């Protein structure tokens, strides 16, 4: 692990009780892998670099079981982004295979490579199941040689192969490597919550790839920090803002992709409800789904594997949480989404990318002061 | 029963095996009730008549159990119509309470009256459950004093109270009383199919309120009957077309509401898929969801009552048909929808309504000749 | 006007610039009418009272022009509520006729009565247009004799007839009369924002019927006020919480209906985007779309009346805001939604309803202290 | 051109008036390009072949103008397929860039390669516009080495570069090369209709990649041809059925992707309505959206280029067809969809693919006999 700080280390207080890793991997069986591609500096030469990108792989189940579907739901808060596999999720309420997150010009590659991985790693298995994997993206062209083809099939396979349980790296790692939020360096963040329902306890885990938001809108646990921070070079003690607006006069190609996992047994339509609440956590940090953003949210449950692989007869049985007990899961989803975004911001260090483009880090002191 | 003929009596052949009633009531526990309001003739006097309208009540479960929800799904093929309760169905995948079908200006009355019925018939029950009933409509203002307030709360209560199993009346009955399809008198129709899945057999039952379609488009089991039938008075042996275009220069306020019921255990997203296939059966009869039409489709499953009333602990278990076994249910849905529409047309007799507006019946001879 | 205070009067500061009324009526031509029904006290006698309910009518255009459609969009954040007319809005991107807001057991009555109003007030007009009005609801059965039939067609007609421009009454008025938010008395609230786009200025106006939220979640401009307020009788200086949980062990039938109006020219899909951002403003106040809530949002634009009434030829032309200029409208929508909810809370006075059920007001002092 | 026959050449009669090419290219500016990859025979060797696949490119506007968006709409009839870019279409009602159709394991490649094409062919252009192209797929693994990586970025670029107006090749070409419908060889098909609206005439053009349907369900213009054709080897004069069920006991990975283009000016929500009617044309041929199918439909209008590139000020104006004039466009969409599917079947010749898998052609004689 990177040893990078997380929001709680700066004194930020949150609602709810996190799991041991405070990450999506607290959901048993969920694995996360990264390939972080950072190479070169100086002027952009397409195909050479500088490279500031990567791939995040989320496995809903361990490698050997990843063809066993999970019930899933999807929500489009704002559609200017890509997340493949969504038609299938809305139709059959399931997904299988690893999920990949990367940059906007490469999620096709990671999608197809995920099929290739399954074919190689689990011979014969694809014959009897879907090959419509989820691959999503946010835009890193301000820092990265996004047209250079640096995200490849083999890097995708490596990200998937390397997926593991435990602490989740955050900040400028994997698909989040070149990402920016609130005009600060951001990227990958994760968090989790424990939820007691009846006699059982479940976990809700979130992973975000955060690449959205205007600095003026940044809110940290109710504190409007963004409007107190400088927005022009030399204005304050926390370093300059990004060296240029992320995309000049061009569309601001910002986005957030959020994935919520749980071991609570939920049916597809219930998972859609979880996904639909993730933007409320985004709103708590100041994200308002601006026009150019692709704000796409996915939810899955690892429960009911037997129901999802049943082949004997025509029927199966699925367990599900009664609707009257869903609110604690909604709370957990919103809370973990908020914390995952702040973790992405806190963990990320300043980065200089292509053409000398610079993005500062969120000033930790400013955050600490709020909670002193 | 009315003893009115059905499509099969004219020699029309269909695919699939119907249940004993060849109606939605073949699904065990599903009841249908009607109030048919036909009074007066001559010029329209709002509030007096002529009255050609009514109410159809569909109970997903018998009266005493109708507060036990059923899993449900919804599909909007064309939205120029009303079907209340749909937001709840899309959110929680359930509905409870009787479903009512009536005319466009009265489905608010039947909606609220359904709540009143539940409060009176099942004291205390509403305290703990939803009161967001489904009430849907199609337009009968060509024949009926639609603004006259003839559909009342008490008539709604009577339709619900009168719901029963067995043969379903068809044609100009209940909500279908004043309805027109393909420029012929139509209204209520029903049909069912038996489906074997694994070791079990299930029933798919459909009820439609048919009020859609241009004569030129009418197709009967592949035969383009509509284009062979006269469209001007005195053109042929089957009687004249409607005495005027159903709504003159005004929008043609046509529609079809379709309800598919089954005892096969299906989850909400699977029921949405059944509903989404009903328009394919409509298309087989020549319905193309023209602009002004409200083509709204509802599906529910009577299975899993225990899961839907569970209160102990936080979890329940629901049985469901494996996706790989759904196609026979899709076939049954499309087939029963097609037959229900043709039954509505075959059963309906010619009608003269307000201001002498006349709508002929589908000429039975013309149909018989096709299948001779 | 009631002279009731609004959030700004307590020192609460907001983002953005409000219009002269700081209400939905700042959008030219938009009118609001109320019927507030408060009668009786003591034990509930169904049909007699106590009555704590009403009707809010929103006219997208003045009475004489209200059959001219407006482009419209809809968003279901949580579907456990009713808002009729939504299928039409999603299909053709338009609505016409007054919009009514009332209690859960009466929105059918107000729907049908709206058609009756149009028929009487604008003779002949319905022949050529839709009769699928929007009627929405939230639940007031904790305070009100909700089954008593007190909301009638004639009261609905009066609410519509009485609609007017100018300051919007807030709190326990109209459809908001019996509503509760964050375990405080709430109901109707409104706010507006001015937005400059290019050379022109437009208005975004919001009206909410607020009936949602747990006290512990209440946030006022970032301040977690709810968790600092007492939740048991006698706990603090602000008066007791509601005399019982709003619905005991039964489903908490809470909800919020939000309507956003603008004179900025927007196409239907753009209005859907506005509606989809209203829940972000709700989230800022602590609303998380809990299970039992019906959180339904409607947006319309009064622009393009000529395009919406064109009858010559087959084509019309509509003006629309470029997508690249939408963000200020999104900001305005979220800001006005937040302020409208707080206005509903601040304006409402304590209320005792049926069976002595008591709901306290939000303690103004506690709010003032936050902003001192 | 291939000189392959089309359905009309067999005597099949259709409704409506086709354009000069009776293809999607009758819509001015719409271009179609193909790369057809047929290599090798014998046993499957992944990476070597046999290859029976390809790429179809549809350009909504000519190459130099293809970054000018078109208004667009989408409909998911059945979601077991991929069509990227759909989130953007549903959000902003637009698409830009070429559309590619290919096999299930390669639509990621063609998606990313489309971005690469735009970057190379139109330097600088991507800085200011979207890079979320539409790439869709159907499954050809019964005949093709689908895992062999034969669809490459350079083949995609060639398909796009080669797009041109005029007659559209049909059958086993482009993305349709390895496709099967009703257990006959199928693939790419196209058709068009001329529609008069007011004083103007417009074109509706359809292109399908047809890979769906059970033989027993095949209907040709109302004739249930499928049930009259043999389904076992040697049963009849028309050659054997496919040498094995397309995917044995595994999921039948069938699908249809349909694209409808028009020069009639339509707004996004109106285009969504066109897309939603395409499955009705599919139903007329016997397609019932079986479980495993990905039935995804896209509609776009080439009108309003100025409104879609406006940059001066905050507003633009779009022309649109009045809703009351939409029905002829609905008719045209359904008719052209039906004919495009039959064209795909008629044009395709028998094919032997990997492992000797054989798929017969639709017997032309059997069709001719129906219309003799």
């Amino acid at each position: 692990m990177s040893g990078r700080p997380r929001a709680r280390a700066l004194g930020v207080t949150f609602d709810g009780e996190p799991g041991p890793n405070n990450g999506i991997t607290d959901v048993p069986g969920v694995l996360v892998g990264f390939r972080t591609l950072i190479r070169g500096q100086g002027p952009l030469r397409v195909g050479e670099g500088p490279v500031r990108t990567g791939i995040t792989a989320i496995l809903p189940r361990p490698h050997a079981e990843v063809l066993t579907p999970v019930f899933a739901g999807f929500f489009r808060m704002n559609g200017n982004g890509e997340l493949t596999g969504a038609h299938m999720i809305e139709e059959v309420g399931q997904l299988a295979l690893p999920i990949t997150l990367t940059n906007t010009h490469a999620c096709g590659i990671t999608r197809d490579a995920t099929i290739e991985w399954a074919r190689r790693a689990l011979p014969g298995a694809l014959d009897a199941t879907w090959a419509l994997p989820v691959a999503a993206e946010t835009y890193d062209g301000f820092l990265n040689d996004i047209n250079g083809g640096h995200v490849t099939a083999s890097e995708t396979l490596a990200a998937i192969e390397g997926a593991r349980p435990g602490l989740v790296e955050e900040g400028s790692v994997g698909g989040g490597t070149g990402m920016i939020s609130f005009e600060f360096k951001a990227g990958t963040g994760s968090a989790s919550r424990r939820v007691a329902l009846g006699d059982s306890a479940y976990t809700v885990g979130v992973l975000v790839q955060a690449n959205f938001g205007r600095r003026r809108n940044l809110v940290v646990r109710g504190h409007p920090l963004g409007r107190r921070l400088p927005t022009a070079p030399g204005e304050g003690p926390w370093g300059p803002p990004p060296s240029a607006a992320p995309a000049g006069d061009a569309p601001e190609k910002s986005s957030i992709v959020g994935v919520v996992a749980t071991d609570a047994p939920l049916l597809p339509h219930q998972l859609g409800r979880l996904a639909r609440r993730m933007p409320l956590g985004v709103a708590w940090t100041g994200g308002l789904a601006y026009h150019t953003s692709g704000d796409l949210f996915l939810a899955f449950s690892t429960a009911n594997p037997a129901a999802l692989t049943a082949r004997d007869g025509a029927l199966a049985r699925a367990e599900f949480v009664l609707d009257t007990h869903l609110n604690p899961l909604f709370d957990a989803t919103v809370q973990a989404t908020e914390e995952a975004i702040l973790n992405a911001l806190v963990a990320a260090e300043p980065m200089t990318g292509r053409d000398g483009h610079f993005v500062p880090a969120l000033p930790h002191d400013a955050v600490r002061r709020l909670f002193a």
Side-chain angles (χ1 to χ4, degrees), chain A residues 209-265:
Chain A
Q209 183 164 307
N211 192 42
F212 72 98
R214 287 299 190 184
R215 186 176 294 187
R216 65 177 180 271
N217 291 333
L218 174 62
V219 175
V220 177
R221 300 294 296 144
H223 300 280
L225 183 64
R227 66 181 61 181
R228 301 180 197 157
L229 293 174
T231 57
E235 256 194 64
W238 302 292
S243 55
D249 291 333
E252 176 204 359
K253 295 162 176 170
S254 59
S255 288
I256 177 167
V257 173
V259 178
V260 56
T262 186
D263 54 354

Side-chain angles (χ1 to χ4, degrees), chain A residues 43-118:
Chain A
L44 175 67
R45 289 199 182 79
V46 174
E48 295 184 19
V51 182
R52 303 285 185 277
T53 194
I55 304 150
T56 302
I58 303 172
L59 275 63
R61 303 187 190 281
H63 294 83
E65 303 160 32
V66 78
L67 288 171
T68 296
V70 287
F71 277 137
F74 170 75
F75 178 59
R76 165 179 62 88
M77 178 67 203
N78 204 33
N80 285 314
E82 187 58 76
L83 186 148
T84 69
H87 306 308
M88 181 187 64
I89 293 167
E90 299 212 63
E91 187 73 35
V92 297
Q94 302 178 20
L95 69 88
L97 298 173
I99 297 158
T100 54
L101 312 182
T102 185
N103 77 55
T104 308
H105 295 194
C107 69
I109 292 286
T110 65
R111 176 204 181 270
D112 291 358
T114 301
I115 300 174
E116 190 182 340
W117 173 82

Side-chain angles (χ1 to χ4, degrees), chain A residues 23-41:
Chain A
I24 195 171
T25 48
D26 286 327
V27 179
V30 175
L31 311 181
V32 176
F34 296 111
R35 286 295 289 170
T36 302
L37 307 173
I38 298 179
R39 288 193 300 266
Q41 53 187 22

Side-chain angles (χ1 to χ4, degrees), chain A residues 75 272-282 330-331 333-334 337:
Chain A
F75 178 59
R273 300 179 80 185
L274 251 61
R276 205 179 323 132
R277 275 146 187 86
M278 297 188 83
L280 306 182
V282 179
F330 292 170
D331 281 338
T333 299
V334 176
T337 301

Side-chain angles (χ1 to χ4, degrees), chain A residues 37-52 142-145 150 350-358:
Chain A
L37 307 173
I38 298 179
R39 288 193 300 266
Q41 53 187 22
L44 175 67
R45 289 199 182 79
V46 174
E48 295 184 19
V51 182
R52 303 285 185 277
F142 181 69
L143 291 167
N144 178 45
D145 173 21
H150 306 289
M351 181 177 281
T352 301
R354 63 113 163 154
D355 297 322
H357 285 182
F358 171 76

Side-chain angles (χ1 to χ4, degrees), chain A residues 170-249:
Chain A
E170 293 175 313
S172 301
V173 295
T177 300
M179 303 303 161
I180 304 166
S181 284
F182 301 104
E183 303 164 39
F184 294 112
K185 190 69 194 64
T188 304
S190 198
S192 72
R193 290 294 180 275
R194 298 284 290 165
V195 176
L197 297 179
D199 301 332
S200 302
Y202 299 101
T203 298
V204 170
V206 165
L207 186 144
V208 298
Q209 183 164 307
N211 192 42
F212 72 98
R214 287 299 190 184
R215 186 176 294 187
R216 65 177 180 271
N217 291 333
L218 174 62
V219 175
V220 177
R221 300 294 296 144
H223 300 280
L225 183 64
R227 66 181 61 181
R228 301 180 197 157
L229 293 174
T231 57
E235 256 194 64
W238 302 292
S243 55
D249 291 333

